[in-house]
Amino acid sequence: MTKVSKEQVKAMDIKDENIKEVFFIDAEVDELKNSIKWHLNCTLARDPSSATKNDWWLASCYALRDKILDRFIKTQAVHHKANTKRLYYLSLEYLTGQLFTNNLHNTGTFEKMSAALKELGQDIEEISKEGPDPGLGNGGLGRLAACFLDSLATLNYPAIGYGIHYEFGLFKQEIINGQQVERPDSWMSSGANPWQIARPENAQRVKLYGRIESHFNEKGDWTPLWVDTRDIIGIPWDIPVVGYGAETINFLRLWESKATKDFNFDEFNRGDYIDAVHDKAVGETISKVLYPNDSTEQGKELRLVQQYFFVSCSIKDILRRYKNAHSGWKNFTGTTAIQLNDTHPAVAVLELMRLLVDEESISWDKAWQMCQSVFGYTNHTLLPEALETWSVGLFKNVLPRHYQIVCEINKRFLDGDVQKTWPNDDQKKRDLSIISSGDNPVIRMAYLSVVACHSVNGVAAMHSDLLKSQLFKDFYQMYPDKFNNKTNGITPRRWLKLCNPELSALIDSKIGQNWTTNLDKLQLLELFADDTEFQNEFLKIKHNNKVKLAKIIQEKCGITVSPKAIFDVQIKRLHEYKRQHLNLLHIITLYHRLLHNQIDIHPTVFIFAAKAAPGYRIAKTIIHAINVVGKFINNCTAINDKIKVAFIPNYCVSLAEKIIPAADVSEQISTAGKEASGTGNMKLALNGACTLGTLDGANVEIKEEVGDENIFIFGKTEAEIASLQHQGYNPWDYYHSNGELRAILDWMRSDFFRTEDGSNPVKELAENLLTHGDPFFVFADYEDYCKTQKLINETYTHRKIWAKMAIYNTAKVGKFSSDRTIREYADEIWKLSPLKIGK
C-alpha cells in the first residue's frame, strides 16, 4: 500500500469509513516509525544496525512521548485558563510500573507502535522488557497512589502528584542460599528516563536546622526569624500521567535534592578534596534512596529531613502556582485541595502554617482555618506501632520553627476542643496530646493529621469502622463529621486490560469495550457464567497465563512446575500480620501428610513473592524458611510433584503483572483487624482468582460483592481475635490441644530442615511462634485454614464449578475500580469537578 499522510487522507473524498480508517492507521504507523528512527539518530546518536534493545526502547518511548506532550501542554493550559480547583496529592511512594506499555494502551497506540516496530525488525514484547520499574515505592501504598493518578487523569480531574525523585529504590532483592540479600536498586543505571522533564526554573530552597531569633516589627508584633540554617535545593522533575483515552494528561512532580553550592573552591584549592564536596554529597543524599534505614539515630534524622524536604518543596510549589494566578488569599481554599497519603507528608501542615504566618503575615487563626480547609488525611494502618512519631529532641533540632508551631497547635487543641469535650480531665489531655508526655516525649504525626485535617478517611469499610471505634476513638467523639470511608480501588487499565490481554479481548467480545472506564459493566459477564463454551475459553486463557508464569518460575527460580496444577499465590510485603508463615505452616502440614500417605490431592504450586524490610529479622527468617522448605519439597521424589513451592525474587509491579493473571487462588490471610484494605486482593479477583481470606480489610467487601459461594473465608473474626487477646492468648494451648499442629511444630523444631551451612530457619520460626506469644494468632487460625485449603483443593477438581466461581470473581468486583474511589474522594472530600480538555 502506498504511504500517505493524515493530511492527504483528510483531503481525499473517501466515503467508506473502513477504508479511511485503514489509511489513517497506516499513516500513523509510518509516522511512529519515522519518529523512532529520528530519535535513534538525533537523540541517541545510534544507527539502527548497531542499536541495542535498550536503544530501541528509548527511541520508542521518545516517539510516544512526542505524541503525549502536545496533549500534556494543552491540558495544563486549559487548567490554568479556567483557574480551576486542583488536587495536590502528597505521597512518599508511587509504584507506577513500566510506563511504556501503559502509555501505549492509554493513548490507544499499542497496535500502531507494535506494527511500526515490526516494520523496523523489532518485537514490541521484547522491547517492552527493557524498561525498568521506577524505584519510587515499596508496596501497596505506592501501587495505590499510581492507580489514583491514573484514575484522576482518566476522569479529567485537575491534579498534581508530588513525591521524591529517588535515585535508588528500596532495594533489589536477590535470594542467595535461600536468604534475602539486598542489592542497590539503581533503576536509572541505564541512563535517561525518557518520561521525565526537568523543571529547574521551579526549583525551591529548603531550610534545615539553625535556630529561631525573636524580632518585633514596626507594629510591635513578635516575628520569628529562622537563621543559621543549612539549605538545600529541590529540583522538580515532571512525569506526564496519561489518562485513558489521553484527553487529560496530568503530571507527577518529583523533587531531587541538590546542594546550594557544588563545592568549596578554597578547600579544593588547598587540596582538601573530600571536604570541598562534603556539602554537595550531604545535600544530594536526601533523595538518594527510598526509606533510609531508621534503626539508628542518623537514619531517623535522614528520614525526617527527607520527608520535610519533599513537603517543603511541594507546599512552596503549590503556593507559587496559586500566587501566579491570584493577588490575594481569599480564593486559596476554593482552588486548593491537598491529600496526605498516610502520615509521611504530615509535616506539610506545619510547613503551610509557617509559610502563611511567618512569610505571608496571615494571622494564626486565619492560617489555621485555611489549613483545615485544604488538608485531608488518609490513614493506611491499624497497627499502633506503625503510626509515625518523632522524638522531640530530633524534631526540635532539625525543624526548630516547626517545633514551636506544633507546640502552639497542641496547646490550642488541648485548651480548646479537648477541654470542651472533657472539662478538666488531665488524663484525657495526656492521652490525646499531639506531643506525648514522659521522659522521652514524641510528636504523634497521626494525631497532628487528625486535628489539622477537615477529613480523615480509612481505606475499607471495616478499617474505617475500627478507626472510629478503636484507633481514634476519642478523636471520633470530638470530630464525628471528619471521619469517612473511601474503600481502595485499582485501575482496570493496568490490572486487566494491560496485564491480561487475552481475557480483556474475551470480555470485549461478549460485552463490548466500555468496561475499561466503567467496571460495573463487568456484571454482564454473569450471563455467561454457566455457559460451557465461555467457561472453556475463560479457563483456557487462565491456563495460557499459567504457562507463561511457569516459564518465569523456571527462569528465575530453577523450578519446573505444571500449569495444570493449582496456582496458589501470596504476593505482598513480607510482614508477620500478613501471615506468610501461616501459609508455610500449611505447606509443611501437606508435606507431612503426603510423606505419610495420608492424603491424595490435586497438584498445587504455592507461589510467593515479597520483600522484607532489611532490619526486620523475623520477616527475613520467614523468607529463608519458605525457601528451605521449598528446596526439600521440590527435590522430594516421594511426593510425586503433588506440591511445589516457588519464591520469586524481587517482587515489583512488572512481576505482579505476570503473576496475577495466572493465579487460581488469592491468599489474603492477614489476622482479622490488622489489614487496612489491601489492593492485591482486588487485582487477583478481577483476573479470575478465588480469594482465600479472613474477614479483614477489603476482603469483607469482596465477599459482599462476589457472594459467599464464590469466596473461601476462614478464621477468627476481629471481635473473636480481640476476645482471645483479652482472655490472654497462649500459643502453647493450641500446641497441646491439636495433635497434628503439635506434630508439625515438633518436626519443624527438629534438625530435619537444617541446611548445609548449619542454619535452621524453620526451627527458628517455630520457636519464635511458641516463645514470643504468636502475636498474630497463627495457631488460632491454623486448623480452619487447613480445612479451607482442603475444600479449595476438592472444589478445583470440579471444572464447571470452579470456572463459574472464577467468572463471578471477575464479573462482580466492579466496585473496586479506583475510578469509583476517586469519584468519592472528589465529591465528598476535595469538592473537585472534572474539567474536559476538548479536542
Side-chain angles (χ1 to χ4, degrees):
M1 181 182 291
T2 303
K3 306 298 184 184
V4 294
S5 68
K6 284 185 180 181
E7 289 70 24
Q8 288 174 307
V9 173
K10 289 176 182 177
M12 296 177 185
D13 185 21
I14 301 175
K15 305 298 184 185
D16 190 323
E17 291 298 320
N18 290 327
I19 295 175
K20 186 183 291 186
E21 181 66 19
V22 169
F23 272 111
F24 269 122
I25 291 174
D26 197 59
E28 289 187 41
V29 168
D30 208 39
E31 182 183 335
L32 278 170
K33 190 170 66 171
N34 289 333
S35 182
I36 293 168
K37 289 191 294 185
W38 187 91
H39 280 293
L40 270 179
N41 293 331
C42 300
T43 305
L44 303 174
R46 291 287 192 185
D47 183 86
S49 62
S50 61
T52 65
K53 292 293 183 186
N54 188 256
D55 294 329
W56 283 106
W57 172 75
L58 281 169
S60 300
C61 290
Y62 285 126
L64 177 59
R65 195 183 80 161
D66 289 347
K67 297 176 71 69
I68 289 171
L69 289 183
D70 283 343
R71 196 67 191 173
F72 170 60
I73 293 168
K74 182 169 185 179
T75 299
Q76 302 314 309
V78 170
H79 289 175
H80 179 75
K81 184 177 180 180
N83 192 22
T84 186
K85 186 174 189 178
R86 280 188 180 89
L87 165 72
Y88 301 103
Y89 195 77
L90 272 56
S91 177
L92 266 185
E93 296 187 38
Y94 294 93
L95 278 172
T96 62
Q98 295 181 13
L99 293 174
F100 179 53
T101 50
N102 187 72
N103 288 344
L104 284 172
H105 281 288
N106 280 9
T107 56
T109 54
F110 184 87
E111 289 78 10
K112 296 161 193 161
M113 179 64 78
S114 179
L117 284 168
K118 186 176 181 180
E119 289 189 22
L120 290 167
Q122 303 298 319
D123 178 70
I124 193 168
E125 188 172 336
E126 291 300 314
I127 296 300
S128 299
K129 293 176 183 177
E130 289 296 309
D133 275 33
L136 302 175
N138 173 30
L141 190 77
R143 287 186 285 271
L144 177 74
C147 287
F148 279 5
L149 292 186
D150 176 272
S151 285
L152 283 161
T154 297
L155 298 174
N156 299 306
Y157 288 114
I160 299 173
Y162 283 107
I164 294 179
H165 188 277
Y166 302 107
E167 183 177 342
F168 296 93
L170 184 68
F171 59 83
K172 182 179 179 181
Q173 181 194 55
E174 294 182 10
I175 302 298
I176 299 177
N177 295 326
Q179 300 186 65
Q180 171 178 294
V181 175
E182 299 94 18
R183 306 292 190 202
D185 178 20
S186 51
W187 66 278
M188 294 184 65
S189 61
S190 61
N193 176 355
W195 305 110
Q196 64 185 14
I197 304 159
R199 302 290 195 190
E201 69 277 11
N202 293 327
Q204 299 292 344
R205 179 178 288 261
V206 176
K207 294 182 177 182
L208 294 161
Y209 303 101
R211 58 189 176 84
I212 306 302
E213 283 188 353
S214 295
H215 288 258
F216 293 90
N217 62 23
E218 62 276 6
K219 297 180 181 178
D221 299 325
W222 175 75
T223 303
L225 291 180
W226 191 3
V227 298
D228 297 334
T229 58
R230 285 187 251 166
D231 297 1
I232 53 175
I233 300 296
I235 305 294
W237 293 85
D238 291 349
I239 297 177
V241 178
V242 183
Y244 186 70
E247 178 174 338
T248 291
I249 298 182
N250 292 322
F251 64 96
L252 170 61
R253 175 157 288 185
L254 303 173
W255 298 98
E256 179 185 18
S257 63
K258 292 288 186 182
T260 51
K261 293 180 289 186
D262 281 345
F263 59 83
N264 186 307
F265 272 106
D266 292 337
E267 290 178 345
F268 183 82
N269 290 332
R270 289 196 304 268
D272 296 332
Y273 305 123
I274 301 300
D275 288 341
V277 297
H278 176 266
D279 288 345
K280 175 178 172 63
V282 171
E284 295 180 1
T285 296
I286 293 167
S287 62
K288 279 284 183 189
V289 65
L290 168 71
Y291 293 153
N293 189 339
D294 60 0
S295 60
T296 65
E297 287 305 309
Q298 188 177 21
K300 288 184 175 72
E301 184 173 339
L302 177 56
R303 187 159 175 173
L304 175 59
V305 168
Q306 188 182 65
Q307 291 185 9
Y308 176 65
F309 161 76
F310 139 63
V311 301
S312 179
C313 289
S314 303
I315 295 298
K316 287 178 177 178
D317 197 57
I318 291 168
L319 295 188
R320 176 192 63 79
R321 298 176 69 86
Y322 175 80
K323 290 166 75 173
N324 282 346
H326 303 84
S327 57
W329 291 99
K330 66 178 182 178
N331 293 320
F332 182 68
T333 59
T335 57
T336 307
I338 306 173
Q339 192 69 22
L340 306 178
N341 192 26
D342 218 345
T343 55
H344 308 128
V347 73
V349 172
L350 307 179
E351 177 68 351
L352 181 56
M353 283 297 291
R354 183 187 73 82
L355 292 169
L356 294 178
V357 173
D358 294 0
E359 298 191 10
E360 301 296 337
S361 301
I362 296 174
S363 71
W364 179 278
D365 289 342
K366 177 61 176 176
W368 184 242
Q369 181 272 324
M370 292 166 69
C371 278
Q372 288 190 307
S373 295
V374 300
F375 278 112
Y377 162 50
T378 299
N379 173 276
H380 285 280
T381 183
L382 287 163
L383 303 178
E385 65 271 20
L387 296 177
E388 193 168 50
T389 62
W390 296 110
S391 70
V392 165
L394 171 62
F395 198 89
K396 190 175 182 180
N397 178 50
V398 176
L399 302 170
R401 177 56 181 147
H402 298 76
Y403 177 69
Q404 292 178 339
I405 292 171
V406 76
C407 287
E408 182 66 18
I409 291 172
N410 193 43
K411 180 180 183 301
R412 292 178 181 234
F413 165 61
L414 296 178
D415 292 346
D417 292 339
V418 177
Q419 173 66 17
K420 180 180 178 181
T421 310
W422 296 280
N424 303 316
D425 188 337
D426 291 338
Q427 184 58 50
K428 191 63 73 175
K429 287 183 179 179
R430 284 191 289 271
D431 291 343
L432 295 181
S433 177
I434 296 169
I435 304 171
S436 71
S437 55
D439 295 334
N440 299 297
V442 298
I443 300 172
R444 300 157 164 163
M445 302 308 284
Y447 286 15
L448 172 64
S449 301
V450 173
V451 171
C453 297
H454 73 275
S455 169
V456 178
N457 73 276
V459 290
M462 179 181 176
H463 172 227
S464 296
D465 288 342
L466 291 173
L467 290 182
K468 293 185 287 188
S469 64
Q470 294 183 16
L471 198 64
F472 297 137
K473 181 179 179 181
D474 291 333
F475 288 101
Y476 177 62
Q477 186 172 339
M478 280 189 293
Y479 310 124
D481 293 338
K482 281 191 181 186
F483 286 81
N484 61 92
N485 175 60
K486 298 290 172 281
T487 297
N488 281 343
I490 58 172
T491 167
R493 272 75 65 180
R494 180 178 289 276
W495 295 112
L496 181 51
K497 185 173 180 63
L498 185 156
C499 75
N500 203 341
E502 284 190 73
L503 181 56
S504 299
L506 176 62
I507 294 170
D508 289 348
S509 72
K510 298 299 181 183
I511 66 171
Q513 299 181 18
N514 290 341
W515 61 268
T516 313
T517 51
N518 185 355
L519 207 58
D520 286 332
K521 290 195 173 183
L522 290 183
Q523 293 185 60
L524 293 171
L525 294 177
E526 288 183 60
L527 299 173
F528 307 96
D530 287 308
D531 182 276
T532 301
E533 183 180 349
F534 184 78
Q535 288 180 349
N536 289 336
E537 289 182 82
F538 194 96
L539 292 180
K540 181 181 178 182
I541 291 167
K542 179 68 71 173
H543 179 82
N544 292 343
N545 290 327
K546 290 164 75 172
V547 169
K548 294 174 185 175
L549 182 57
K551 183 179 179 182
I552 292 172
I553 292 172
Q554 178 67 53
E555 292 172 350
K556 293 184 177 292
C557 307
I559 301 167
T560 302
V561 301
S562 170
K564 294 181 179 179
I566 300 170
F567 277 22
D568 182 302
V569 166
Q570 189 172 18
I571 47 172
K572 53 186 75 252
R573 180 165 50 92
L574 203 304
H575 197 292
E576 288 172 276
Y577 86 82
K578 295 179 185 288
R579 300 201 297 188
Q580 284 93 343
H581 47 337
L582 173 58
N583 190 343
L584 178 61
L585 206 60
H586 169 252
I587 292 169
I588 296 172
T589 301
L590 284 181
Y591 186 34
H592 189 266
R593 290 173 181 173
L594 287 165
L595 286 175
H596 291 81
N597 298 312
Q598 295 174 341
I599 56 169
D600 184 30
I601 62 171
H602 187 88
T604 303
V605 181
F606 294 95
I607 299 166
F608 296 87
K611 290 182 179 180
Y616 193 174
R617 175 174 170 76
I618 188 61
K620 295 177 79 170
T621 298
I622 293 171
I623 290 177
H624 193 190
I626 290 170
N627 282 295
V628 167
V629 171
K631 186 174 181 180
F632 273 86
I633 289 173
N634 297 335
N635 293 322
C636 181
T637 57
I639 62 173
N640 197 27
D641 290 340
K642 287 292 184 178
I643 53 175
K644 289 287 186 79
V645 180
F647 190 102
I648 309 177
N650 204 40
Y651 183 55
C652 59
V653 171
S654 294
L655 186 56
E657 290 171 3
K658 302 297 189 295
I659 297 174
I660 286 170
D664 293 307
V665 178
S666 165
E667 296 259 5
Q668 309 297 330
I669 60 176
S670 54
T671 311
K674 300 300 182 183
E675 182 72 84
S677 170
T679 54
N681 48 5
M682 303 169 187
K683 296 164 189 167
L684 286 154
L686 180 61
N687 283 271
C690 296
T691 301
L692 165 61
T694 52
L695 288 174
D696 194 32
N699 292 352
V700 176
E701 291 165 85
I702 291 176
K703 174 178 175 288
E704 292 171 355
E705 296 299 312
V706 305
D708 293 356
E709 67 279 11
N710 297 309
I711 192 170
F712 296 94
I713 297 296
F714 77 97
K716 305 291 185 187
T717 64
E718 184 275 328
E720 289 170 335
I721 291 290
S723 177
L724 280 176
Q725 205 161 22
H726 179 73
Q727 294 167 14
Y729 176 74
N730 186 351
W732 287 100
D733 293 341
Y734 291 87
Y735 173 85
H736 291 299
S737 64
N738 186 318
E740 183 171 48
L741 176 61
R742 182 170 62 253
I744 296 305
L745 287 168
D746 288 345
W747 192 30
M748 292 171 67
R749 295 163 75 198
S750 72
D751 288 335
F752 182 87
F753 292 104
R754 182 184 293 274
T755 64
E756 293 177 358
D757 64 5
S759 64
N760 195 338
V762 179
K763 180 179 181 178
E764 183 181 342
L765 177 58
E767 296 287 0
N768 180 276
L769 285 166
L770 286 166
T771 60
H772 286 77
D774 184 14
F776 296 101
F777 303 88
V778 170
F779 293 171
D781 280 346
Y782 165 79
E783 185 175 358
D784 197 17
Y785 179 72
C786 290
K787 287 180 180 177
T788 308
Q789 278 280 17
K790 183 174 183 291
L791 176 61
I792 288 173
N793 198 274
E794 292 170 350
T795 306
Y796 186 83
T797 62
H798 298 282
R799 182 179 174 88
K800 285 187 65 67
I801 294 174
W802 189 270
K804 184 176 180 179
M805 292 177 69
I807 292 166
Y808 259 87
N809 271 270
T810 296
K812 300 294 287 185
V813 292
K815 171 184 177 177
F816 303 105
S817 168
S818 52
D819 294 351
R820 184 268 314 156
T821 311
I822 288 300
R823 284 194 185 97
E824 290 179 3
Y825 272 102
D827 293 344
E828 300 167 24
I829 297 178
W830 305 326
K831 308 303 179 185
L832 194 67
S833 299
L835 181 61
K836 291 279 189 179
I837 304 303
K839 297 297 183 182

